[in-house]
Amino acid sequence: MSESSGRRRALRAFGARLRLKASATQYWQILDEALTHDSFAHETGRTKTRARAAAPSNERLEFLGDAVVGAAVADYLYRRYPDEPEGGLSRRRAALVSRTALAGTAQRWELGPLLLLGKGEAAAHGERRPSILASAAEAVIGAVFLGEGFAAACRFVTREHLAHADVG
């Protein structure tokens, strides 16, 4: 985790806003990783080399969060629309897991200022790019999954993403 007390305070405030049940230090480290773009990890030497096992950028958490979001959204739609055929459910799901929808959630969460970006990405205002924001939102959801479990992550997706999205 970034060693600055300001970073820790910002992450704790973020967690409190989103009602995360993060009590363990490890959870905060995972959340910090979720908000670390690969460009920052490369510039600071935090990325993996072929000899090292894991990269502390948000890419792996994004991968995990993408799966959690997909499952949570599919479950939500299946239950909310019991008579909807598969094709309709698929279209709804695609809209809810899209880059646009997830970037909107990230903006509502005010993720941009929390992102650790490399100098080039920061200079190009990467904190505003929908692809970076959507990826960070998925990574945060992946962190919630690791920190609180699948059921809590699904509730989090419902409360913090679906409740604010156009499901109709």
Side-chain angles (χ1 to χ4, degrees):
M1 179 169 179
S2 178
E3 292 303 316
S4 80
S5 61
R7 176 79 174 157
R8 283 192 299 271
R9 277 194 304 275
L11 290 174
R12 289 187 191 283
F14 171 72
R17 267 195 340 263
L18 296 183
R19 298 182 289 183
L20 300 180
K21 296 183 178 18
S23 57
T25 300
Q26 182 181 14
Y27 195 161
W28 296 111
Q29 291 170 337
I30 293 168
L31 191 57
D32 186 55
E33 184 177 317
L35 298 168
T36 302
H37 188 260
D38 195 45
S39 63
F40 181 86
H42 277 294
E43 285 183 14
T44 60
R46 292 175 65 180
T47 60
K48 68 179 178 181
T49 63
R50 294 201 191 280
R52 292 192 184 140
S57 75
N58 67 1
E59 290 180 330
R60 288 174 47 85
L61 285 169
E62 174 192 352
F63 168 80
L64 183 59
D66 177 66
V68 172
V69 170
V73 169
D75 178 62
Y76 174 85
L77 293 173
Y78 183 86
R79 293 173 194 280
R80 180 164 179 188
Y81 300 100
D83 298 323
E84 181 96 29
E86 181 271 339
L89 293 172
S90 290
R91 282 188 293 281
R92 289 177 194 272
R93 182 186 62 207
L96 292 168
V97 301
S98 71
R99 177 188 304 171
T100 301
L102 288 164
T105 292
Q107 287 171 331
R108 194 173 40 72
W109 290 349
E110 300 175 2
L111 278 190
L114 294 170
L115 292 172
L116 296 177
L117 301 171
K119 291 174 187 165
E121 269 311 330
H125 300 289
E127 74 279 1
R128 297 182 197 158
R129 285 185 40 210
S131 60
I132 290 176
L133 288 169
S135 295
E138 287 177 330
V140 166
I141 292 164
V144 173
F145 169 77
L146 290 177
E148 299 183 38
F150 184 68
C154 287
R155 287 190 302 272
F156 178 79
V157 169
T158 300
R159 181 184 77 233
E160 296 296 334
H161 177 61
L162 296 173
H164 304 275
D166 180 15
V167 181

